[in-house]
Amino acid sequence: MSEEDEGGGGGGPESDIAPPFSDQVLENVLESVLQFLTSRRDRNAASLVCRSWYRAEARTRRDLFIGNCYAVSPRRAIRRFSCVRAVVLKGKPRFADFSLVPHGWGAHFYPWVVDMASSYPFLEKICLKRMTIKDDDLSLIAQSFPFFKDLSLICCDGFSTVGLAIIAEKCRCLRVLDLIEDYIEDEEDDAVDWISKFPETTTTLESLVFDCVGSAFNFDALEALVSRSPRLRQLRVNHHVAVEQLRRLMARAPQLTHLGTGAFRSAFPGPGGGGGGEPEFDLLSSFASSKSLVCLSGFREVEPEYLPAIYPVCATLTSLNFSYAYLTADELKPVICHCHNLQTFWVLDTVGDEGLQAVAETCSDLRELRVFPLDATEDSEGSVSDIGLQAISEGCPKLRSILYFCQRMTNAAVVAMSKNCPDLVVFRLCIMGRHRPDRITGEPMDEGFGAIVMNCKKLTRLSVSGLLTDKAFEYIGKYGKLVRTLSVAFAGDSDLGLRYVLEGCSRLQKLEIRDSPFGDSALLSGLQYYYHMRFLWMSSCKLSIRGCRDVAQSLPHLVVEVINDTVEDGDTENVEKLYMYRSLEVPRDDMPPFVKIL
Amino acid sequence: MAPDNFGLGFEETELRLGLPGDGEVMKNSAKAKRGFGEMVNLKLQFSTRKDEKTEKAKSANFLASVNDPEKPPAPKAQVVGWPPVRSYRKNIMTVQAEKSKIDHEGEKSLNGASLVKVSMDGAPYLRKVDLKMYKSYQELSTALESMFSCFTISNFDSQGIKGKDFMNENKLKDLLNGSEFVPTYEDRDGDWMLVGDVPWEMFVESCKRLRIMRGSEAKGLAPRAMEKCKRRI
């Protein structure tokens, strides 16, 4: 049924008739039991039992998760759930990350924060993903929620260091400030020194992540802040921090468990470093003293001669992110050979198949691997291939999640992974050259992906690529019964492909498709499924206005958005971008001129 | 190598990671910086440069894809948002690539400048100079002096043969025995040399970065400088 917070799909019964006294007692008892229920899916199920349970569940829900900010209005959510302490809100469709959604599309945090400010005085946590949040919104958070503790902004935009300064200064109980891959609106020269705005007293900070804040900051202020934050366990700094400064921070916070190292190079160039002495050795002693470190990231502008400094912590590391570090296989090997306990590893493809082989040899406990391309273009050489994938599958049988960018792949390697790694939950393979077949047999990649859905019985997320026929989709529809998220690009032959998926994948929630030959007839074949899904995105397919309008008319609770690149394009028959999602509300009124709602 | 195919009318056929309608928005808003980063990314790919130094894998063809003579000279038209790597990541890698190019090669950047980093022992920050802005060692010396005015630098302009700025042995020895600072530079071979060795134009071509060292530390460089001097004569 519905995965959303609204439980049973429709609006649900209103609790305006007071129940009899005995029922009231029962409800109170129920409430004290239900507060132990934390999973939102369990809560959704509980809320469907009867009105009494619905009311009790609504009063005890502390964590509000809204997977699509336009699926429900703030008013409606607040009316049902009155005692919320933590809110998670997601906005733009994921393809916005790849510049497919024009700027100004929507997903504004403002209407939410305005309503929550008056209704949730005890709010402690806000987590936003792909939303637009302005400095004024941050200011409203700071002044409206006296118990505010955790702010996480992921892939958001619209705010600047001005807003950060307000949060730092006014949120006295701040525990978590995690800024992850956001676009900060400052020009470098206008940036505010927000780090200096934290209160002078001992803070309750546990996590401070700001590697995406591009502007320079007052380092002394940061060092002082770290010194007076005894609970700090996660610190990820930006690239304005070099190793000499990193050492100082590490000295102040030996209890850190998660460290983002900034620019892993000396502040001074030249032999021996400008400051004299041996910075590599000094850095080594810093790491040797940080006995609690389990997660390392950063390594921007890395100078490989500093890498040996991390050897003392390698054996205890469970997570290592080298994905911004240009490292060759020879530079990776001496590091990775110590990392026996690694569970999460992100890396650039510059390490090549050879580097991945080294990973496979040591990291037998690996659960998540992401291999990013240095050169993210279709024609790039590509340094990793099926050989690396095969090696990983053989060395890392516990693998649960993989994201792999490459230029050359074979069905055999993918099949091997499907058999060697049965625990796979997330399989995302991106063969960067469009429509590329198996590099040895020249055949489509159907069999490889087919094996994945067939053998990996826990698979919930799949991204496909390479040359794919309708056969691949037949496999996915037939075997991908648990798949919730599917990403398709430049694949398929006909409408049949999309039909297979819509009819077969009964748990499908999020479907994003680009540049594939699926048309109106396939779109219309899915009418009975769209209310069960969070959204469908289709761009550069074969859809027309007529087909989309038919869907909109058949399903009143589905918002059907046609997005154009410019306002002028809006008059053509062709639908370039379709984004449709279920909603309890009338369609939004904040859309920009290039969005048409049918 | 076909960078010139994209020289004329490039703006017209400009392929950007943003959407066509986005251009105007991007120019006016704060996102302009980000947009530029995306556009620069594409430019660097098209203007592939054959790299002479094959031993330094890092500096070689950082973003170039066309090395193979059998491949067609023009890369395929890039599709928006493909491969699906977040703009955030792409921007970081672009900036790092540019920085690395400047650090490792001291090469011309996109606008024809010859920017090199200048560090001074004991100074808390580095500076950057565009060597093409100066015509002689004297001019550079003056500029550096004003940049690092709190420290003293020796004047490394040499006397000697008219028209050629060669360092003579005696002056060198005087310099190195003092505790003054001396300017040194890293050349294309990766060697650290004393500034003033070679004709100015040759220096600009070969200099990758500058370091103003304490005189006492620079002694080790002198023999090498002398050797290279003698070989050239």
Side-chain angles (χ1 to χ4, degrees):
Chain A
M1 254 304 219
S2 159
E3 305 278 338
E4 308 284 17
D5 59 291
E6 53 265 32
E14 294 297 317
S15 52
D16 43 9
I17 304 162
F21 179 71
S22 55
D23 287 351
Q24 186 65 65
V25 170
L26 261 171
E27 263 183 45
N28 292 348
V29 169
L30 191 56
E31 278 182 33
S32 42
V33 170
L34 282 179
Q35 62 184 348
F36 294 103
L37 211 60
T38 47
S39 146
R40 69 177 188 269
R41 290 186 189 122
D42 290 345
R43 282 188 159 269
N44 292 347
S47 72
L48 292 173
V49 170
C50 63
R51 280 177 210 259
S52 177
W53 280 55
Y54 177 91
R55 282 190 297 264
E57 193 283 309
R59 275 196 290 269
T60 54
R61 191 179 291 224
R62 291 278 185 268
D63 297 290
L64 187 62
F65 172 86
I66 303 203
N68 175 2
C69 63
Y70 288 121
V72 65
S73 72
R75 280 277 108 231
R76 184 188 293 262
I78 290 169
R79 192 166 59 229
R80 177 172 169 186
F81 301 108
S82 51
C83 304
V84 161
R85 298 276 195 268
V87 173
V88 176
L89 265 177
K90 294 190 181 182
K92 293 176 212 165
R94 196 178 73 97
F95 275 10
D97 293 347
F98 316 126
S99 312
L100 288 177
V101 176
H103 181 54
W105 174 82
H108 301 284
F109 183 51
Y110 174 74
W112 289 89
V113 69
V114 155
D115 284 347
M116 292 195 302
S118 46
S119 309
Y120 289 156
F122 299 107
L123 193 68
E124 294 177 358
K125 287 209 247 193
I126 292 174
C127 175
L128 303 181
K129 190 166 184 182
R130 292 194 196 95
M131 294 204 63
T132 297
I133 171 170
K134 307 266 177 175
D135 288 336
D136 286 344
D137 301 334
L138 289 170
S139 178
L140 201 52
I141 291 175
Q143 70 196 53
S144 312
F145 307 119
F147 303 101
F148 193 71
K149 295 193 170 69
D150 295 5
L151 182 65
S152 301
L153 301 177
I154 306 166
C155 300
C156 294
D157 63 3
F159 64 100
S160 73
T161 50
V162 170
L164 295 179
I166 298 172
I167 294 286
E169 193 182 348
K170 304 250 167 72
C171 299
R172 294 271 147 170
C173 316
L174 198 65
R175 199 168 52 184
V176 169
L177 181 58
D178 286 353
L179 306 167
I180 299 168
E181 296 194 26
D182 305 303
Y183 281 125
I184 315 289
E185 298 284 346
D186 291 310
E187 296 297 321
E188 285 264 349
D189 306 321
D190 298 337
V192 167
D193 183 15
W194 58 285
I195 299 256
S196 312
K197 300 287 192 285
F198 280 95
E200 298 281 317
T201 55
T202 303
T203 76
T204 45
L205 265 184
E206 292 178 20
S207 173
L208 181 61
V209 174
F210 65 96
D211 48 320
C212 65
V213 182
S215 45
F217 59 93
N218 180 341
F219 180 78
D220 290 338
L222 177 65
E223 190 179 2
L225 174 65
V226 169
S227 311
R228 60 180 192 277
S229 304
R231 300 221 191 119
L232 194 69
R233 42 153 191 88
Q234 171 163 254
L235 178 65
R236 298 191 198 213
V237 297
N238 69 18
H239 63 280
H240 289 281
V241 173
V243 295
E244 289 84 2
Q245 294 162 311
L246 185 68
R247 288 202 57 221
R248 285 161 62 179
L249 294 173
M250 292 174 76
R252 301 288 184 184
Q255 77 284 6
L256 282 178
T257 57
H258 295 61
L259 178 64
T261 63
F264 209 64
R265 56 163 172 76
S266 172
F268 311 104
E278 295 160 322
E280 300 98 81
F281 179 73
D282 295 335
L283 191 62
L284 179 75
S285 67
S286 295
F287 277 95
S289 312
S290 295
K291 305 208 188 294
S292 315
L293 280 178
V294 292
C295 173
L296 278 183
S297 60
F299 301 103
R300 305 262 285 266
E301 305 165 40
V302 66
E303 277 167 13
E305 57 262 31
Y306 288 103
L307 280 180
I310 72 171
Y311 290 170
V313 297
C314 285
T316 45
L317 279 185
T318 54
S319 173
L320 180 56
N321 182 350
F322 273 159
S323 67
Y324 295 105
Y326 186 141
L327 297 175
T328 62
D330 288 333
E331 284 159 353
L332 176 68
K333 281 185 198 175
V335 177
I336 206 74
C337 70
H338 299 294
C339 301
H340 312 280
N341 287 312
L342 213 55
Q343 295 188 8
T344 301
F345 185 51
W346 293 20
V347 71
L348 270 186
D349 67 351
T350 52
V351 300
D353 287 328
E354 198 188 332
L356 293 179
Q357 279 161 336
V359 173
E361 273 160 38
T362 319
C363 308
S364 53
D365 207 23
L366 201 66
R367 312 294 165 99
E368 177 179 324
L369 175 68
R370 296 196 192 191
V371 181
F372 292 96
L374 173 71
D375 182 4
T377 59
E378 275 193 88
D379 310 305
S380 62
E381 282 299 307
S383 326
V384 297
S385 70
D386 46 284
I387 294 170
L389 193 73
Q390 177 93 28
I392 292 289
S393 76
E394 288 163 11
C396 311
K398 295 191 194 169
L399 204 63
R400 284 191 204 145
S401 170
I402 183 164
L403 170 63
Y404 197 90
F405 284 86
C406 62
Q407 289 286 20
R408 293 171 293 278
M409 188 48 59
T410 62
N411 281 304
V414 180
V415 170
M417 176 154 274
S418 77
K419 294 187 175 150
N420 296 335
C421 306
D423 289 342
L424 275 177
V425 173
V426 174
F427 184 79
R428 297 156 72 190
L429 175 61
C430 181
I431 303 169
M432 293 192 279
R434 289 173 274 166
H435 310 294
R436 213 165 266 186
D438 181 316
R439 77 168 171 93
I440 294 179
T441 66
E443 285 178 2
M445 293 299 298
D446 299 340
E447 295 306 310
F449 286 102
I452 290 286
V453 283
M454 227 186 291
N455 299 330
C456 302
K457 312 254 191 286
K458 304 179 191 172
L459 197 76
T460 60
R461 182 169 181 184
L462 180 65
S463 295
V464 301
S465 61
L467 180 65
L468 293 170
T469 70
D470 288 342
K471 189 83 185 140
F473 296 102
E474 190 183 351
Y475 286 137
I476 294 171
K478 188 169 177 196
Y479 298 106
K481 294 304 178 191
L482 294 184
V483 171
R484 294 182 59 229
T485 307
L486 179 63
S487 301
V488 175
F490 304 102
D493 303 319
S494 72
D495 281 354
L496 213 49
L498 180 54
R499 294 180 84 124
Y500 282 136
V501 167
L502 290 170
E503 284 159 20
C505 299
S506 42
R507 296 281 179 96
L508 195 61
Q509 287 288 297
K510 302 180 250 183
L511 181 55
E512 36 188 40
I513 304 174
R514 63 168 294 177
D515 294 275
S516 301
F518 306 136
D520 292 344
S521 127
L523 187 69
L524 287 160
S525 74
L527 283 178
Q528 55 189 299
Y529 308 112
Y530 296 139
Y531 279 162
H532 296 283
M533 290 168 58
R534 190 182 296 173
F535 71 80
L536 168 65
W537 168 283
M538 286 178 70
S539 59
S540 305
C541 297
K542 296 202 161 146
L543 300 173
S544 78
I545 287 275
R546 201 173 305 122
C548 297
R549 210 164 260 143
D550 285 347
V551 175
Q553 277 158 5
S554 313
L555 299 173
H557 286 294
L558 203 69
V559 175
V560 179
E561 293 194 14
V562 171
I563 302 170
N564 298 297
D565 293 339
T566 62
V567 184
E568 291 75 49
D569 288 351
D571 297 327
T572 59
E573 256 304 300
N574 247 11
V575 166
E576 186 51 33
K577 293 177 193 178
L578 168 73
Y579 180 53
M580 52 191 224
Y581 49 90
R582 66 184 170 197
S583 175
L584 294 173
E585 314 299 335
V586 297
R588 63 192 181 111
D589 55 6
D590 65 349
M591 71 265 192
F594 51 80
V595 173
K596 193 195 297 182
I597 295 186
L598 302 177
Chain B
M1 282 209 308
D4 290 317
N5 288 357
F6 305 94
L8 277 171
F10 182 75
E11 274 67 49
E12 249 97 16
T13 56
E14 188 175 38
L15 292 170
R16 295 175 287 172
L17 291 179
L19 297 157
D22 241 3
E24 293 72 45
V25 178
M26 280 187 162
K27 274 179 215 156
N28 297 331
S29 74
K31 277 186 179 254
K33 256 203 165 169
R34 204 176 323 135
F36 176 70
E38 290 169 357
M39 289 183 241
V40 164
N41 185 23
L42 287 173
K43 280 187 179 174
L44 285 176
Q45 285 154 24
F46 289 147
S47 58
T48 47
R49 238 177 253 282
K50 200 115 188 13
D51 192 71
E52 287 99 337
K53 294 181 73 168
T54 48
E55 74 270 13
K56 276 203 171 176
K58 252 173 234 188
S59 44
N61 295 319
F62 218 58
L63 292 172
S65 52
V66 185
N67 256 334
D68 185 348
E70 286 163 343
K71 274 192 191 170
K76 229 154 66 178
Q78 302 292 336
V79 176
V80 173
W82 185 263
V85 173
R86 282 191 186 147
S87 336
Y88 174 82
R89 173 172 288 279
K90 277 186 177 163
N91 290 347
I92 291 179
M93 299 317 296
T94 306
V95 169
Q96 278 184 197
E98 281 171 13
K99 273 191 181 179
S100 176
K101 247 189 176 166
I102 289 167
D103 286 354
H104 291 291
E105 296 176 11
E107 237 187 24
K108 294 173 205 192
S109 64
L110 292 171
N111 55 7
S114 190
L115 288 165
V116 297
K117 280 189 182 174
V118 189
S119 68
M120 174 181 266
D121 287 355
Y125 54 83
L126 280 71
R127 300 301 300 263
K128 258 208 181 135
V129 288
D130 180 359
L131 294 177
K132 297 223 176 242
M133 282 181 47
Y134 310 106
K135 293 190 201 58
S136 68
Y137 286 115
Q138 180 60 50
E139 282 185 27
L140 177 62
S141 169
T142 313
L144 290 180
E145 258 183 58
S146 56
M147 270 188 198
F148 295 94
S149 51
C150 37
F151 301 90
T152 50
I153 340 176
S154 68
N155 181 348
F156 51 87
D157 188 31
S158 61
Q159 298 86 29
I161 305 161
K162 189 183 171 219
K164 295 182 187 177
D165 297 330
F166 281 100
M167 199 68 123
N168 68 50
E169 218 163 317
N170 290 328
K171 179 165 171 67
L172 193 62
K173 284 191 183 143
D174 286 344
L175 257 175
L176 296 178
N177 287 326
S179 57
E180 286 184 285
F181 284 85
V182 285
T184 62
Y185 71 100
E186 186 183 10
D187 71 3
R188 280 177 173 245
D189 303 326
D191 295 322
W192 285 87
M193 313 287 294
L194 212 55
V195 172
D197 231 13
V198 297
W200 171 254
E201 294 76 29
M202 202 184 291
F203 165 71
V204 171
E205 285 303 307
S206 58
C207 171
K208 278 168 44 177
R209 69 166 74 126
L210 280 159
R211 178 179 162 190
I212 302 171
M213 280 173 123
R214 277 179 257 273
S216 43
E217 279 187 61
K219 268 189 177 154
L221 292 174
R224 209 185 300 144
M226 285 300 105
E227 227 183 304
K228 277 199 171 176
C229 237
K230 282 167 184 164
R231 261 189 273 125
R232 283 189 183 113
I233 297 164

